[in-house]
């Protein structure tokens, strides 16, 4: 076997290491290194590649959060998103509650960095969003707007009114709550409540939203707040029409197209049109059972940032490969 196939010898390895040290550790440009070593900058580039390929140089990333960089970039590229944060795989199997807390903590860290005093922040109800608000310690002053009503029977701490109030108290901005149920018995009741001054004021803020944090639900048992709030016949009827995902009580089919169903007329929630108009939407969606729902919502074009876990990210990549975005 030739020396080349065995890798560089000692002399060449030292030369490669010297070039790599100047570039990676000392910040010299390729042109500067070329002048110092009496070679072309193209030769410098080839030497840097060889140093990495042969293992002389190993590049490691140390992020300030438990994020799987490779998976994050693959999902971001596949769905053409601005950002994707995929939680690192845990060494041992974790409960959904633990995953939710980690997702929430990651979202809190991101939100703290990207919110500005000029923003109007919308928050959907979701346990993952609540986990995020529990982890927020500081936030620039900005209005905080509730995106949907309260699911009946929820513990007070898990209700979206309390979530909005907590974030507004941290921010010091004005809170715009929705004091009303998420799902109502009929269209007339829904329209009556929407006209009430406090709720009407909140709905009026939807057009001003600059950022929103939402959760992605799948149209299946225990994977969507709205699904679990409906009776069985309505769940089945909506499923037969092709519903795959739910965001703030708005439904999407497998292609990411917003769906018009009877549900739209008896929920207190932001419209799909208003959601799609928000400049930056951060979506929290995780676990393997939600992969198809996440895929559907990402196809809608609504989401700019996805925060997820490896359990969802891996099947997401398979779905994107099977049906690439056009």
């Amino acid at each position: 076997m030739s020396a080349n196939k065995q890798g560089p010898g000692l002399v060449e390895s030292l030369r490669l290491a010297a070039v790599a040290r100047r570039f990676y550790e000392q910040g010299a440009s390729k042109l500067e290194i070329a002048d110092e070593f009496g070679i072309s900058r193209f030769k410098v580039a080839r030497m840097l590649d060889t140093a990495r390929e042969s293992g002389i140089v190993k590049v490691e990333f140390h992020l300030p959060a438990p994020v799987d960089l490779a998976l994050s970039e693959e999902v971001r590229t596949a769905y053409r998103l601005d950002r994707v944060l995929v939680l690192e795989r845990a060494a041992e199997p974790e409960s959904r509650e633990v995953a939710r807390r980690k997702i929430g903590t990651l979202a809190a860290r991101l939100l703290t960095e990207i919110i500005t005093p000029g923003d109007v922040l919308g928050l959907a109800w979701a346990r993952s969003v609540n986990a995020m608000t529990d982890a927020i310690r500081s936030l620039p002053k900005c209005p905080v707007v509730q995106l949907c009503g309260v699911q009946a029977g929820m513990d007070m701490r898990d209700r979206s009114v309390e979530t909005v109030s907590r974030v507004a108290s941290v921010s010091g901005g004005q809170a715009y709550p929705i004091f009303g149920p998420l799902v109502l018995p009929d269209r007339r009741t829904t329209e009556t409540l929407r006209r009430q001054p406090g709720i009407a004021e909140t709905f009026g803020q939807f057009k001003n939203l600059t950022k929103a944090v939402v959760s992605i639900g799948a149209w299946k048992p225990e994977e969507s707040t709205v699904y679990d709030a409906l009776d069985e016949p309505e769940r089945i009827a909506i499923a037969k029409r092709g519903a795959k995902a739910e965001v703030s009580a708005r439904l999407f089919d497998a292609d990411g197209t917003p769906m018009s169903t009877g549900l739209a007329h008896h929920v207190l929630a932001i419209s799909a049109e208003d959601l799609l108009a928000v400049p930056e939407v951060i979506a929290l969606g995780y676990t393997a059972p939600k992969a198809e729902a996440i895929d559907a919502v990402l196809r809608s074009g609504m989401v700019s940032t996805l925060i997820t876990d490896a359990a969802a990210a891996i099947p997401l990549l398979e779905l994107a490969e099977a049906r690439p975005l056009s």
Side-chain angles (χ1 to χ4, degrees):
M1 184 178 291
S2 69
N4 284 339
K5 289 187 178 180
Q6 291 177 346
L10 177 60
V11 173
E12 180 63 12
S13 293
L14 289 172
R15 183 172 169 81
L16 291 171
V19 168
R21 181 171 180 271
R22 288 288 290 126
F23 184 75
Y24 290 110
E25 281 193 3
Q26 299 175 343
S29 71
K30 292 175 184 177
L31 189 57
E32 289 171 334
I33 296 170
D35 289 341
E36 291 174 19
F37 284 80
I39 56 179
S40 72
R41 60 189 177 89
F42 302 105
K43 174 67 173 176
V44 172
R46 289 196 296 273
M47 290 177 74
L48 291 172
D49 288 342
T50 301
R52 290 180 59 182
E53 291 166 2
S54 62
I56 293 171
V57 171
K58 294 182 179 179
V59 179
E60 295 182 355
F61 298 95
H62 298 282
L63 299 175
V67 172
D68 185 319
L69 181 62
L71 266 180
S72 299
E73 279 300 294
E74 286 185 68
V75 175
R76 185 190 66 79
T77 301
Y79 288 96
R80 303 170 193 166
L81 302 175
D82 294 339
R83 300 185 199 89
V84 172
L85 304 178
V86 178
L87 281 175
E88 287 180 345
R89 298 173 182 84
E92 300 290 337
E94 294 179 333
S95 68
R96 181 171 289 206
E97 289 72 20
V98 171
R100 180 185 302 132
R101 187 169 65 250
K102 288 183 176 181
I103 290 283
T105 300
L106 200 54
R109 185 162 190 168
L110 174 66
L111 197 65
T112 300
E113 292 183 9
I114 67 173
I115 287 288
T116 70
D119 280 316
V120 178
L121 174 63
L123 296 178
W125 182 89
R127 289 188 175 92
S128 54
V129 178
N130 293 346
M132 178 195 76
T133 64
D134 285 341
I136 290 175
R137 298 292 176 264
S138 65
L139 208 63
K141 186 174 183 179
C142 67
V144 184
V145 183
Q146 187 175 331
L147 300 183
C148 55
V150 175
Q151 182 189 359
M154 295 306 301
D155 179 84
M156 182 59 73
R157 184 166 176 78
D158 276 335
R159 293 186 176 183
S160 50
V161 172
E162 299 303 310
T163 298
V164 167
S165 298
R166 288 200 302 271
V167 176
S169 67
V170 172
S171 161
Q174 186 170 351
Y176 291 90
I178 296 176
F179 291 101
L182 175 62
V183 181
L184 294 155
D186 52 54
R187 183 171 190 162
R188 182 177 179 181
T189 304
T190 306
E191 291 176 351
T192 299
L193 281 176
R194 284 181 181 175
R195 289 195 295 268
Q196 292 198 355
I199 294 176
E201 184 180 24
T202 296
F203 271 65
Q205 288 293 321
F206 293 159
K207 66 181 182 299
N208 300 324
L209 295 171
T210 58
K211 291 183 174 69
V213 183
V214 301
S215 175
I216 298 174
W219 201 248
K220 56 181 68 173
E222 298 182 4
E223 300 295 343
S224 161
T225 304
V226 178
Y227 183 99
D228 295 334
L230 301 181
D231 57 33
E232 190 64 19
E234 188 166 10
R235 294 173 187 169
I236 294 171
I238 290 173
K240 285 181 177 178
R241 294 189 60 180
K244 291 294 182 183
E246 172 261 319
V247 177
S248 295
R250 300 306 175 188
L251 305 179
F252 297 82
D253 65 17
D255 295 322
T257 304
M259 298 178 62
S260 178
T261 69
L263 176 64
H265 303 302
H266 63 104
V267 293
L268 278 178
I270 187 172
S271 68
E273 292 75 17
D274 282 336
L275 266 176
L276 288 163
V278 179
E280 185 164 1
V281 174
I282 301 163
L284 315 183
Y286 56 103
T287 72
K290 288 188 177 179
E292 287 188 353
I294 298 169
D295 171 75
V297 174
L298 296 185
R299 292 176 187 276
S300 74
M302 175 203 309
V303 176
S304 50
T305 296
L306 173 68
I307 301 180
T308 187
D309 61 359
I314 292 169
L316 264 179
L317 290 172
E318 294 172 356
L319 289 166
E321 184 178 2
R323 284 203 308 147
L325 271 64
S326 58

